Each structure stands twice: as structure tokens, then as C-alpha cells.
Amino acid sequence: MRLKKIIYLFLSIVLGLILSFLIHALIEIIYLQNVNSATVNWHSVLGKGSCALPIWLQIGLPILGIVGGYLLGCWWWRIVYIEHRHGKFKNNNLN
């Protein structure tokens, strides 16, 4: 059961990291479409590794993805494997 929880949390973290990269891409696409092309120094954008976002956002999004994935994994582990609440719908009106 311990190995199962480790794998579950690891895959939740990977999911959070993937989602953070997708959010990063969407933010950057929206930013580059809305910014005036005359104000963008494209040489500096390409010199920073082809990313126009500030460094704190480039680092912060993956960290938020990892932490969020871990917390989501802990939460769903509790719901699915400890409380066994998955797939059970309680309808008190039928009784």
C-alpha cells in the first residue's frame, strides 16, 4: 500500500507539472498576442531562452504545479483509498 501511495502522489505531481506548463504556454501566448510588437525587444526575448515572461513567473508556475499536484494527490488519496467516497452517490429521497 505504501508503494501504491508513492506512485499515486508522484503521478499527481507529474500531472500538476504538466498543467503548469500548459498554463505557462497559454499565458505567454495571450501576452505575446496582446503586446504591441513595437514595444517588444525580440532579441531580448530570444536571448532569454525564447520566453517573454518574467523569471519569477517562469520559476513560480512549475513550483505551484508541483505543490498543487502533491496537495491534490493527498486530497484524492484520502477520498478514494481512505474514505472510499468515489463513485457513491447518496440519495436520501429514495428511502
Side-chain angles (χ1 to χ4, degrees), residues 18-30:
I18 290 171
L19 290 175
S20 75
F21 288 136
L22 289 174
I23 291 170
H24 178 119
L26 289 175
I27 291 172
E28 191 163 1
I29 288 170
I30 292 169

Side-chain angles (χ1 to χ4, degrees), residues 19-79:
L19 290 175
S20 75
F21 288 136
L22 289 174
I23 291 170
H24 178 119
L26 289 175
I27 291 172
E28 191 163 1
I29 288 170
I30 292 169
Y31 172 74
L32 289 176
Q33 285 178 347
N34 291 330
V35 72
N36 186 357
S37 62
T39 62
V40 175
N41 185 357
W42 290 103
H43 295 290
S44 67
V45 170
L46 295 175
K48 292 191 309 187
S50 299
C51 186
L53 298 179
I55 190 72
W56 61 269
L57 196 56
Q58 293 178 36
I59 295 171
L61 284 173
I63 290 173
L64 284 175
I66 290 169
V67 171
Y70 176 76
L71 293 175
L72 185 70
C74 289
W75 184 47
W76 278 105
W77 178 266
R78 182 176 44 86
I79 289 174

